[in-house]
Amino acid sequence: MQYRLLGKSALAVSEIGFGCMSLGNDDTANARLLHQACDQGINFFDTADLYEHGQNETSVGKALKDRRSSVIIATKVGNQWKEDGSGWDWNPSKAYILSAVEASLQRLQTDYIDLYQLHGGTLDDPMDETIAAFEMLQQQGKIRHYGISSIRPNVIREYVQRSHIVSVMMQYSLLDRRPEETALPLLQQNNIGVLARGSVAKGLLVNKPATPYLNYSAEEVSAAAAAIRELSSPERAAAQTALKFVLQQPAISSAIVGIRTSDQLEDALRTAKAPALLPAEIERLQHALKANVYDQHR
């Protein structure tokens, strides 16, 4: 497993991160899977207080409690569940963040969170108030670093200018190259790490039948998947080829893979051992279909 510094932080994260959202409700099975990931070199685990009404954090906390010093735990805040549990409201206020972190710390059974991320964001948010909350938590030692999870270039630009974020989590794959236009160059220039999610595009690049995706037609999706298959081999299967395309983008620190089973974990781990894509191979993938761009939040 290779490790990369996350932006300006001292966090050396595994190039394959464990997306905990996909975990089930069996704490024992989850612990077995998380321990297997740790033993194989994955040290970055991403969850959120939103997932399963906080039960995801609880399960992750139970599993990693005895391995706390060797793992990097990331969670997210900003989506507040309604009292009746019917949904959630967006709440990036300072008061809510300072309250929510205490609940996350308790569920995760830890005294600190390595990376605390705002789970979204808009230009209408009280951004200075939000940033002040993260800065206060950092000063108090309750979080080591903070970042945002956002695909909105206009929001990302504001946080780059106004805060000390060390990371941005965003969707990025061969079927979603929108970050390439402005976000990835900006973040690389400012030494802010990118945590990529959705790298196999819901399986469309690997094994699922082609359907329309973002602004691409089913035919275009099929062409992208075919390009992935053509560059795959026994040493680098389709999933690893899709992930390598993401990981070889210089701005990316880690690809966060949703993992629910041991087979999925082993598939993700094989990416670390798979041969790198040659420059000509990356170019072939890039020419498989026209790169898309953001049409909102620019």
Side-chain angles (χ1 to χ4, degrees):
M1 182 66 65
Q2 299 294 315
Y3 301 87
R4 307 176 182 186
L5 285 178
L6 185 63
K8 296 181 283 283
S9 79
L11 303 176
V13 299
S14 50
E15 64 177 2
I16 299 296
F18 196 119
C20 298
M21 183 177 69
S22 299
L23 290 172
N25 297 318
D26 185 332
D27 288 347
T28 301
N30 290 345
R32 189 182 306 116
L33 195 59
L34 291 166
H35 292 170
Q36 183 182 351
C38 290
D39 294 341
Q40 295 294 320
I42 291 178
N43 73 346
F44 185 81
F45 298 86
D46 178 76
T47 180
D49 60 4
L50 179 69
Y51 304 157
E52 299 296 327
H53 294 260
Q55 287 303 308
N56 194 269
E57 284 186 327
T58 299
S59 192
V60 170
K62 285 181 182 178
L64 299 180
K65 180 181 179 180
D66 293 336
R67 303 188 180 216
R68 185 66 187 94
S69 62
S70 61
V71 298
I72 295 169
I73 295 177
T75 191
K76 311 181 196 76
V77 66
N79 294 295
Q80 183 176 16
W81 280 103
K82 296 178 180 179
E83 289 188 9
D84 62 5
S86 63
W88 58 86
D89 296 313
W90 177 239
N91 189 351
S93 70
K94 182 177 182 180
Y96 177 66
I97 293 171
L98 296 181
S99 170
V101 74
E102 299 298 336
S104 285
L105 286 167
Q106 185 174 15
R107 287 189 292 263
L108 289 165
Q109 299 188 49
T110 183
D111 296 326
Y112 65 94
I113 293 165
D114 296 289
L115 180 66
Y116 205 33
Q117 302 160 100
L118 185 68
H119 204 172
T122 75
L123 291 182
D124 296 327
D125 292 346
M127 205 170 291
D128 290 334
E129 181 181 326
T130 301
I131 294 168
F134 285 115
E135 294 282 348
M136 178 180 292
L137 291 174
Q138 195 171 29
Q139 292 166 8
Q140 293 173 345
K142 294 179 180 178
I143 67 173
R144 292 177 67 188
H145 300 282
Y146 67 95
I148 63 171
S149 176
S150 177
I151 63 171
R152 299 180 172 187
N154 53 8
V155 171
I156 292 170
R157 277 195 297 272
E158 289 298 314
Y159 274 91
V160 170
Q161 294 170 6
R162 297 160 64 172
S163 77
H164 296 98
I165 59 169
V166 299
S167 66
V168 175
M169 179 176 285
M170 62 174 63
Q171 183 168 287
Y172 179 60
S173 73
L174 181 59
L175 282 172
D176 189 357
R177 293 172 59 198
R178 296 175 297 176
E180 291 179 3
E181 185 185 12
T182 62
L184 295 184
L186 174 68
L187 294 170
Q188 186 178 8
Q189 179 183 349
N190 286 273
N191 194 19
I192 295 170
V194 177
L195 302 168
R197 59 178 179 82
S199 301
V200 295
K202 298 182 178 178
L204 291 171
L205 289 171
V206 182
N207 52 17
K208 290 191 177 178
T211 59
Y213 184 80
L214 299 177
N215 61 310
Y216 292 124
S217 67
E219 291 75 18
E220 289 171 315
V221 169
S222 180
I228 291 283
R229 286 195 303 272
E230 288 168 7
L231 293 180
S232 300
S233 67
E235 293 77 29
R236 190 181 64 215
Q240 286 100 53
T241 301
L243 282 165
K244 284 290 188 183
F245 175 81
V246 169
L247 287 168
Q248 288 181 231
Q249 155 62 245
I252 305 298
S253 298
S254 181
I256 312 304
V257 181
I259 298 170
R260 190 183 183 93
T261 68
S262 182
D263 286 345
Q264 290 173 345
L265 173 59
E266 289 302 323
D267 203 34
L269 288 166
R270 280 192 284 271
T271 303
K273 303 174 183 177
L277 290 167
L278 299 173
E281 292 177 320
I282 293 175
E283 190 174 347
R284 280 178 62 186
L285 291 175
Q286 290 172 333
H287 285 104
L289 71 172
K290 184 179 179 181
N292 45 2
V293 296
Y294 290 112
D295 58 3
Q296 295 178 319
H297 313 295
R298 296 179 62 85

